[in-house]
Amino acid sequence: MKIDGQAYRSVWLDADDRWSVHVIDQTKLPWALEILRLTTRDEAAHAISSMQIRGAPLIGAVAAYGLCLALRADASTDAMERDAALLNATRPTAINLRWAVERMLTRLRNTPQADRVAVAYDEAGLIADEDAAQNETIGRHGLKLIEAAIRPGRRVNVLTHCNAGWLATVDWGTALSPIYTAFNAGIDIHVWVDETRPRNQGAALTAWELGKHGVPHTVVADNAGGHLMQHAQVDLIIVGADRVTRTGDVCNKIGTYLKALAARDNNVPFWVALPSSTIDWTVSDGVAEIPIEERSGAEVTDMTGRLADGTIATMRVVSADSPAANPAFDVTPARLVTGLITERGRCDATADGLLGLFPERR
């Protein structure tokens, strides 16, 4: 996708040395575009755990490259298994992390130690390229939903929650891929961007990348979505996912469940876009079985912004004696999901719907 006309991916190898890994530091957005150079396993793990990079597909790709960096230091089997376990532990909820690390290990365990570094970089590159291609295809499948919402004389209004754009993937994004595809095709489209407290990924990331690509959008408070739906200002909702069960339950950024409830009450279609790497075929009940990451309460009590003099500052917005809880995700039951958009097409959020697209999982 593009930043002020220049094409970017969210993770790439250094053009000169071809082994170090570059990512955009998302904690600096929207105030500054800063590129990180990752050279060790620990730097990759820190980038994931500190949310310098985030988004389920991107976490998986960076973890794969993190294992490449680890193997440069020690390609022995014991070290490889230990490094993989460390990377796996950086974020507990997004399934793409475990999927990517296990895919790397499946190939590397059968590779001679002397060849592991080269093979690892090859496999990580495939993971990144496949993610970009899958997300572009998701955009084409989702485009039909946006085209169906076109009405003479009015724009199409799409609401999204959190950031499921190209910053959360290797390229294109999941929920935003149909939006970019529609915009690039000349459709008059506008995006309602939930601010997405407590980390404000919508306000800081989704709004930033939409703006840089030129897509019309408006940031709204998380609590405004129901009001907009009641007044027919939302034609459809598209969100991403960090994990989807084999029965169609969707785990995504906290607040997604409430949007789905409002959508059901107002007959607004609620779609979830995801690559197949986000499906956890081992889980049936998302509410009972998916671990929900509990992040620092400081993300709730503190906010960072730009002051009038241009200074970036973090300030506390909660009284000093008030504790805060911070569950980072919630689960939207499949019954509230209109359907899923994958690289193989659209389907109902049911076990039969998913197996219809992925029959090899029967």
Side-chain angles (χ1 to χ4, degrees):
M1 303 308 293
K2 294 181 178 179
I3 301 175
D4 297 331
Q6 180 177 344
Y8 275 85
R9 278 188 172 187
S10 58
V11 57
W12 65 96
L13 291 181
D14 185 271
D16 295 323
D17 64 40
R18 302 303 302 166
W19 65 265
S20 62
V21 181
H22 291 285
V23 296
I24 296 171
D25 186 348
Q26 297 186 29
T27 65
K28 303 298 185 183
L29 295 173
W31 319 117
L33 177 61
E34 295 188 8
I35 308 301
L36 297 173
R37 179 172 178 259
L38 308 178
T39 62
T40 67
R41 176 207 67 184
D42 288 347
E43 289 175 353
H46 175 74
I48 296 170
S49 62
S50 67
M51 296 184 72
Q52 288 177 307
I53 66 98
R54 27 68 51 212
L58 180 57
I59 288 172
V62 172
Y65 278 120
L67 192 55
C68 296
L69 296 174
L71 290 169
R72 283 177 53 83
D74 188 342
S76 68
T77 297
D78 287 347
M80 179 178 71
E81 297 289 347
R82 183 175 61 251
D83 293 333
L86 184 147
L87 288 163
N88 252 334
T90 51
R91 296 290 301 276
T93 300
I95 192 62
N96 305 64
L97 172 60
R98 188 178 74 198
W99 169 85
V101 172
E102 287 302 316
R103 172 171 163 172
M104 294 286 288
L105 289 175
T106 296
R107 185 168 180 190
L108 292 168
R109 284 170 179 150
N110 298 315
T111 299
Q113 181 173 327
D115 299 330
R116 278 179 177 162
V117 172
V119 170
Y121 275 98
D122 178 66
E123 191 68 17
L126 287 174
I127 288 172
D129 289 344
E130 288 170 14
D131 181 71
Q134 287 175 345
N135 291 328
E136 183 180 12
T137 304
I138 286 171
R140 293 200 297 271
H141 291 306
L143 173 63
K144 296 179 176 62
L145 302 173
I146 295 173
E147 289 175 333
I150 296 174
R151 300 291 183 270
R154 63 185 297 269
R155 65 189 183 185
V156 178
N157 286 298
V158 182
L159 185 143
T160 192
H161 186 72
C162 195
N163 174 255
W166 69 266
L167 288 169
T169 67
V170 175
D171 205 355
W172 284 93
T174 54
L176 294 195
S177 186
I179 291 167
Y180 286 127
T181 304
F183 175 78
N184 292 345
I187 292 175
D188 186 10
I189 191 168
H190 167 264
V191 185
W192 296 111
V193 179
D194 278 358
E195 61 183 348
T196 322
R197 282 280 289 149
R199 288 192 64 93
N200 290 327
Q201 292 104 320
L205 303 179
T206 298
W208 181 84
E209 65 168 89
L210 288 173
K212 291 299 183 182
H213 198 77
V215 180
H217 64 280
T218 305
V219 178
V220 293
D222 288 352
N223 294 334
H227 167 80
L228 295 172
M229 293 180 221
Q230 285 179 328
H231 291 270
Q233 295 185 66
V234 179
D235 295 301
L236 72 158
I237 297 170
I238 310 177
V239 301
D242 289 84
R243 190 184 303 207
V244 172
T245 70
R246 65 181 180 85
T247 56
D249 293 342
V250 173
C251 182
N252 193 48
K253 183 66 181 178
I254 194 76
T256 303
Y257 173 45
L258 297 180
K259 288 297 180 297
L261 287 171
R264 173 59 59 91
D265 191 52
N266 290 280
N267 297 313
V268 174
F270 183 92
W271 287 87
V272 179
L274 66 147
S276 54
S277 57
T278 301
I279 304 170
D280 188 343
W281 297 97
T282 70
V283 171
S284 299
D285 186 334
V287 174
E289 298 180 72
I290 294 177
I292 300 300
E293 179 180 1
E294 181 77 26
R295 294 188 60 81
S296 169
E299 293 181 355
V300 176
T301 61
D302 297 6
M303 293 187 71
T304 299
R306 174 175 283 167
L307 304 180
D309 64 1
T311 303
I312 308 302
T314 298
M315 63 196 73
R316 188 175 177 93
V317 295
V318 175
S319 62
D321 58 352
S322 294
N326 186 15
F329 304 90
D330 59 25
V331 174
T332 300
R335 69 179 184 275
L336 299 176
V337 179
T338 304
L340 307 172
I341 313 168
T342 79
E343 73 271 16
R344 293 192 185 179
R346 302 187 307 276
C347 70
D348 291 336
T350 63
D352 288 342
L354 282 167
L355 289 174
L357 292 181
F358 302 93
E360 69 275 17
R361 292 291 182 170
R362 291 186 182 275

